[in-house]
Amino acid sequence: MEDVIGIVDLFSGPGGLGEGFSRLRHTDGRPVFQIDLSVEKDVIAHQTLRLRSFLRKFGEVLPDEYLSFLNRGGVDEPNWEVLYPEKWHAAVHETLNLTLGADGTAAIIAERISEIRRLRGDRVILIGGPPCQAYSLAGRGRKPGNLGYVPHVENRHRLYEEYIDVLRQLRPAAFVMENVKGMLSSSIEKRKVFDLVTQDLKGGNGEPEYVLCPLTGEPSLDGEEMPRSFIVEAERHGIPQARHRVIIVGMRRDLLLSGKSLELPKLPVEAKQVTVRDVLERMPIVRSGISARGGNRDDCNDWKVTVAASSARILREESPLSGGSRARFVSAVKSVSAPAQIKASNRVGGRGRMALPPQCPDELAQWLLEPRLKRLVQHETRGHMKEDLGRYLFAASWTLATGISPKAADFPAVLAPEHKNWTSGKFNDRFRVQAWDRPSSTVVCHISKDGHYFIHPDPAQCRSLTVREAARLQTFPDNYFFKGNRTEQYIQVGNAVPPFLAWKIARAMAPTLHRVLTPSHTERHCNTLTVAMS
């Protein structure tokens, strides 16, 4: 595969960005990109990353043993090293569990970069992004007395330096750097962090080595980048989530100015937003568990009685809603006013209910679904305090009636948490429902804490989102398995780049890369690019 473009993926997490790029295919099934190296410091996220790397070695069809493992609910995982030693060892070689900036890491990375450059030449890109804390300090090589040097955060700064060092050593044809929107508004000693970061990313002594390309705005060849043009709003590009991130694409200037006509990469805006309903509505109905101080027994009947009692308590309270909204609210709350009415009985999603709603865009549906799965793995609920069940029921019913999640002032006093500042305005969004008919709010790793910001929109289920539901909002395919306990799984999902968005970025970049990296006499048309859904 002489025309494949290699990838070095830093700060990989569970592999969301790499998953998107690696699944882009030519119409004949050949991969456009192939991951040569990925680096992740977290032990559990690295295990997820390594497993996914192993599975990619099978091409478009996952092995039967893996599908059987998922259909068993993700228990009794086979020993992949024994079953497929060659593919497993290739995955181990590809995915490194290393901390960038730690002793010895730089030498290992440098050796691998030399190996990749010998194999690929210019046909390689760098993807990833330092953790957001790194932007508390930006710009490499700044020492005491120079701009931005703060000794107590130098360790975080080093992460950013490591990214720049790899960029300089690798000299990829392009790079993709993703990070939080906050970097646009941060300043250090009256200089914008964004300006410092882009200055380092462009590199070069005198003439910049890289041209920075905003995926949703116009590029600037004179070096005067407009910061907001680098914000990618995921919901505008077919992702069921309002996730706003800075994504900077850099193209190597000498390749762009090689005399070939080309267009810089752009992300097309989708005409219709994808909503929570489009990806969650037909998932198996499950109930939360019950957790309490003293360790109450988690019993289905107890849960149903608690929810029904909460319904009765809510209906006794006055509501500021009126007209149709009031009627819809009352109807939603009444739907669980008796234990026998409540359909949710299991905490783990059983077999069946694998289809997506018909309005889910075909491209996304094909991306998410695995035809050979008979159950959704990691679709298991956590436990909630009994008091929170009433709050979740109220909030979900309110959202169903009005289309928006209630604020603290909308809750009746009987449901108010015992917080001194509950009415101060600081807790306005303490309980947030992900409304059916709009994209979700940003899925973040805080979902691993209590789930209050991620309440399911169905009042009858009265719970927060499962790992699999969060993963669907993040557009991880249903066959993507996250290692670790449930808290660790939530953190991996929340920290990731949505893979389907990454695939769209890869698709946008591929024609330009193809054009600048292909000799003119063998140039092929860029319309051979498509996706293979494995």
Side-chain angles (χ1 to χ4, degrees), residues 71-389:
N71 286 326
R72 291 194 301 271
V75 297
D76 300 326
E77 183 176 3
N79 187 324
W80 306 118
E81 185 176 12
V82 171
L83 285 175
Y84 301 101
E86 185 177 341
K87 290 180 171 64
W88 181 256
H89 292 153
V92 170
H93 181 69
E94 177 189 309
T95 59
L96 299 185
N97 180 210
L98 293 173
T99 299
L100 291 166
D103 291 344
T105 297
I108 296 171
I109 299 298
E111 182 180 349
R112 293 296 298 275
I113 287 174
S114 295
E115 175 187 310
I116 291 166
R117 286 293 299 184
R118 287 194 300 270
L119 173 68
R120 304 288 189 196
D122 286 336
R123 301 188 68 83
V124 63
I125 66 171
L126 175 67
I127 65 174
C132 57
Q133 302 99 303
Y135 292 109
S136 61
L137 187 63
R140 62 191 303 270
R142 300 185 175 101
K143 298 305 178 186
N146 291 341
L147 179 66
Y149 180 79
V150 184
H152 73 279
V153 291
E154 178 68 7
N155 220 17
R156 295 174 178 178
H157 177 39
R158 192 176 301 156
L159 295 174
Y160 172 69
E161 288 186 355
E162 293 297 323
Y163 185 93
I164 297 298
D165 283 347
V166 171
L167 181 64
R168 297 291 169 260
Q169 292 177 61
L170 186 65
R171 291 196 72 243
F175 67 81
V176 180
M177 189 177 195
E178 182 264 359
N179 221 276
V180 293
K181 194 169 65 171
M183 69 175 289
L184 299 185
S185 56
S186 300
S187 298
I188 295 175
E189 297 186 9
K190 298 183 180 180
R191 284 193 64 183
K192 292 288 188 182
V193 166
F194 178 80
D195 294 338
L196 298 172
V197 169
T198 53
Q199 176 184 322
D200 285 342
L201 289 174
K202 285 186 287 189
N205 295 317
E207 187 75 10
E209 187 168 14
Y210 286 90
V211 174
L212 305 188
C213 307
L215 292 170
T216 58
E218 292 304 316
S220 172
L221 298 180
D222 60 9
E224 296 296 325
E225 282 79 22
M226 297 296 292
R228 293 196 63 81
S229 64
F230 288 90
I231 296 176
V232 172
E233 299 178 350
E235 71 273 22
R236 302 184 68 214
H237 306 286
I239 309 301
Q241 179 187 168
R243 190 182 194 90
H244 298 175
R245 291 291 186 263
V246 171
I247 298 180
I248 302 173
V249 171
M251 304 291 298
R252 222 173 73 200
R253 180 180 287 266
D254 63 318
L255 297 175
L256 289 178
L257 302 180
S258 59
K260 299 177 181 180
S261 60
L262 55 87
E263 291 185 5
L264 295 176
K266 289 291 179 189
L267 272 180
V269 175
E270 302 294 338
K272 178 184 177 295
Q273 288 189 341
V274 183
T275 68
V276 170
R277 186 187 300 277
D278 295 339
V279 294
L280 300 192
E281 185 178 43
R282 292 195 176 183
M283 292 180 72
I285 295 173
V286 290
R287 68 173 180 87
S288 70
I290 295 179
S291 63
R293 297 179 184 88
N296 282 14
R297 181 168 60 95
D298 178 29
D299 178 81
C300 179
N301 289 329
D302 185 22
W303 184 86
K304 289 185 175 184
V305 168
T306 300
V307 172
S310 297
S311 170
R313 187 164 61 251
I314 292 169
L315 291 171
R316 287 196 295 268
E317 298 295 315
E318 290 293 325
S319 170
L321 297 176
S322 60
S325 296
R326 170 68 180 170
R328 289 189 295 272
F329 174 78
V330 170
S331 176
V333 177
K334 279 186 174 179
S335 69
V336 292
S337 59
Q341 294 175 297
I342 302 174
K343 295 180 181 179
S345 59
N346 299 315
R347 289 190 62 187
V348 180
R351 295 177 177 269
R353 291 183 66 93
M354 302 296 296
L356 286 159
Q359 72 272 13
C360 181
D362 291 343
E363 204 171 53
L364 177 58
Q366 188 182 0
W367 176 270
L368 292 172
L369 292 179
E370 168 56 65
R372 292 188 289 163
L373 277 183
K374 296 180 174 59
R375 67 185 299 170
L376 287 177
V377 71
Q378 298 175 324
H379 184 46
E380 178 179 353
T381 63
R382 69 178 112 200
H384 297 304
M385 301 287 290
K386 285 188 175 184
E387 295 84 356
D388 284 334
L389 296 184

Side-chain angles (χ1 to χ4, degrees), residues 241 243 245 442-448 454 490-491 494-495:
Q241 179 187 168
R243 190 182 194 90
R245 291 291 186 263
T442 307
V443 178
V444 294
C445 62
H446 182 80
I447 193 174
S448 66
F454 300 94
Y490 277 124
I491 290 172
N495 278 336

Side-chain angles (χ1 to χ4, degrees), residues 413-425:
V414 70
L415 294 179
E418 295 180 3
H419 292 304
K420 292 181 180 179
N421 295 324
W422 173 247
T423 58
S424 68

